[in-house]
Amino acid sequence: MTEHLTVVRHPLVQHKLTIMREKSTSTAVFRQLLREISQLLAYEITRELPMTTKPIETPMEAMDAPTLDGKKLALISILRAGNGLLDGVLELIPSARVGFVGLYRDEETLQPVQYYYKVPEALEDRVVIAVDPMLATGNSSAAAVQLLKDSGAKNIRFLCLLAAPEGVARMKEAHPDVPIVTAALDDGLNDLGYIMPGLGDAGDRMFGTK
Ligand SMILES: O=P(O)(O)OC[C@H]1O[C@H](OP(=O)(O)OP(=O)(O)O)[C@H](O)[C@@H]1O
Ligand SMILES: O=c1cc[nH]c(=O)[nH]1
Ligand SMILES: [Mg+2]
């Protein structure tokens, strides 16, 4: 991908996102819409995957038909909210390998605290898509991407639902090689580091923990 930031302005994405932002939307509907949007965003982030051809036989004749090239993709969920995006993307790319980076954001310092890390082997040979619905300060995603690079990943993309300009700038500075796909670029962060107008705490809204 050539753009550092891609905002997917498709009407279906924007309509579903508006319902997700509304505070009256239930946990069940929030989760379902995130699943639906994740597939539309996945369509965009996989647009330029490497392709090759292979010889096949249709009922009519032989042809060289397009097929994905290279090792299976790696999807990396940044826990826990990343799992809300992961499910839908995995439905679209069922053969992908899956990894997990456990991080939570310390509410005082806004710095990520790591508690888990497990990723597929041979990351250096795979297209890696890291998923987390919220890019706020960018501290969590920048740390997660660094861990993936430390494991050898060279071709990383970041998929989120909402981004703040502060988080996009942080990622651009720390990881200019990592393209970001999002459904919206919001106004900025409030004093507590929450995205405005945003949708609140994605993890709490999707799992009903608050
Ligand atoms: O860009 P940042 O300022 O780092 O904030 C974004 C992070 O905050 C949220 O996770 P949270 O820490 O709430 O953990 P959770 O997914 O377990 O709710 C979100 O899912 C990101 O991981
Ligand atoms: O607005 C925000 C910022 C960080 N994490 C969230 O879930 N929401
Ligand atoms: Mg949270």
Side-chain angles (χ1 to χ4, degrees), residues 177-190:
D177 55 312
V178 175
I180 299 166
V181 171
T182 185
L185 181 62
D186 272 13
D187 297 341
L189 302 177
N190 71 6

Side-chain angles (χ1 to χ4, degrees), residues 4 7 20 22 51 61 93 97 109 129 142-143 146 150 181 207:
H4 183 251
V7 179
M20 291 184 74
E22 281 191 274
M51 299 292 293
E61 65 173 350
I93 316 170
R97 303 304 189 231
T109 64
I129 302 178
Q146 189 56 54
D150 292 345
V181 171
F207 297 118

Side-chain angles (χ1 to χ4, degrees), residues 12-189:
L12 289 179
V13 170
Q14 296 304 318
H15 181 85
K16 290 174 195 291
L17 176 57
T18 294
I19 301 171
M20 291 184 74
R21 287 183 190 272
E22 281 191 274
K23 64 180 181 188
S24 58
T25 295
S26 71
T27 295
V29 171
F30 187 93
R31 230 182 2 241
Q32 176 59 30
L33 289 169
L34 184 57
R35 188 188 196 85
E36 292 168 13
I37 291 187
S38 70
Q39 300 196 338
L40 298 165
L41 297 177
Y43 181 82
E44 189 62 40
I45 208 165
T46 53
R47 187 180 282 282
E48 291 158 35
L49 283 183
M51 299 292 293
T52 185
T53 58
K54 68 172 185 183
I56 62 164
E57 301 258 356
T58 80
M60 311 305 290
E61 65 173 350
M63 71 175 284
D64 283 325
T67 180
L68 291 171
D69 194 17
K71 267 205 164 58
K72 304 272 189 299
L73 244 119
L75 301 177
I76 309 293
S77 170
I78 303 175
L79 300 174
R80 96 201 124 135
N83 280 7
L85 276 179
L86 174 71
D87 290 348
V89 180
L90 198 51
E91 219 165 81
L92 210 64
I93 316 170
S95 62
R97 303 304 189 231
V98 179
F100 296 93
V101 181
L103 289 178
Y104 71 85
R105 192 171 82 138
D106 181 300
E107 288 182 9
E108 298 288 314
T109 64
L110 300 183
Q111 292 304 312
V113 181
Q114 189 189 338
Y115 57 89
Y116 188 71
Y117 188 74
K118 181 81 180 171
V119 296
E121 53 144 30
L123 276 193
E124 60 276 13
D125 298 329
R126 303 180 192 275
V127 172
V128 175
I129 302 178
V131 301
D132 187 333
M134 309 303 270
L135 177 58
T137 64
N139 291 338
S140 302
S141 47
V145 166
Q146 189 56 54
L147 288 167
L148 297 173
K149 286 184 174 174
D150 292 345
S151 295
K154 294 189 183 72
N155 186 353
I156 307 174
R157 296 149 197 227
F158 184 75
L159 182 65
C160 61
L161 180 68
L162 282 190
E166 293 91 331
V168 173
R170 170 95 173 86
M171 283 291 279
K172 191 164 191 175
E173 183 199 325
H175 303 293
D177 55 312
V178 175
I180 299 166
V181 171
T182 185
L185 181 62
D186 272 13
D187 297 341
L189 302 177

Side-chain angles (χ1 to χ4, degrees), residues 80 201-204:
R80 96 201 124 135
D201 187 294
D204 286 341

